[in-house]
Amino acid sequence: MSTGYFPKREKIGLEDLFKGLVTASHILHNNGVLDAYGHISVRSPDNPASFYIPCNISPALVSSPDEIIEYNVEDASPVEKNVPQGYLERFIHSEIYKRFPTVNSVVHSHCSDVLPYGVSGVPLRATVHMAGFLGSNVPVWDISSHYSSGSKHDLLVRDTSVGASLSATFKPATSAGFIYSKMRSALPGAAAEPDHEPDHYVVLMQGHGFTTVAHSIEEAVCQAIYTKEAAKTQTTALTLRNAYFGISVEGKVDVEGGGKIKSGKLKMEGELKYLSDKEAAEAWGSMKETVSRPWALWCREVDVNPLYKNDCPGCEDD
């Protein structure tokens, strides 16, 4: 696979990085992952303590380096003064980059195909090999217990503390790990080992959307698109299964007045087949080596669509 916009694996220029970030914004819109809202960011290839993300503009309309802002990972503050207005939820990105040094790109989406899995109690799982990165357990993060006193209860990630809570969901802490890190950090000259890799590539946000993390722009775009496709496949499969098999009643049934079932239980017929943990891991291991194939197609699709304009240097050569 071409390393492309992969800051940790090769040195690339900012012109190429900005071009890739603009293109990625267009691709995500063209594939229905982002609409007027949502965003993608990338860690700086020159300074891992900062990241780039478009200003407060609809992803389909971002077009030039002037619309891309560099922020500090530490607190999501702009590196330069007098920059355009930024996204309110840039703390999603800064806190993920802070927690995971190997993450280089983040996508936040409100995709309607994925939203039901954050509010229905039905777990989103890998049903197709293209979405093996979902694994067998996609966490659902609920912001409701993380509002600060006097904050707006609008489900938006408005500050570092709420962003830190979301980022922690990508790698849930265990008590043993927490105790070990505390003991290690207490030793003279020692520091706690960072969590370099998240346990999950995708986290659902209750009533809000989802966020995915990756090692590169291409991988982040691929994961975001196939999270949507996996959700569509699972929803269709569940609907088809329920329509075909229906529901049966198992056990002794006592019917109360009004037709209510007093005892017995409902049983769903038919079984939805999910990827095993091994299948999911190895399927994604194979698929991510071919990300350059769909990336080339997606780039061409937005390149010939007059809605999308990429005025970054070098685009005139495409």
Side-chain angles (χ1 to χ4, degrees), residues 9 174 184-185:
R9 282 175 54 181
T174 62
R184 181 179 174 83
S185 62

Side-chain angles (χ1 to χ4, degrees), residues 31 55 60 107 121 129 170 222 244 267 281 286 309 316:
N31 282 272
C55 64
V107 174
H129 73 296
F170 284 89
C222 190
Y244 183 79
K267 179 183 179 182
S286 296
K309 298 185 182 300
E316 63 275 6

Side-chain angles (χ1 to χ4, degrees), residues 219-234:
E219 283 187 16
V221 168
C222 190
Q223 289 171 194
I225 290 174
Y226 282 106
T227 295
K228 172 189 174 181
E229 294 303 313
K232 289 171 60 179
T233 298
Q234 186 171 338

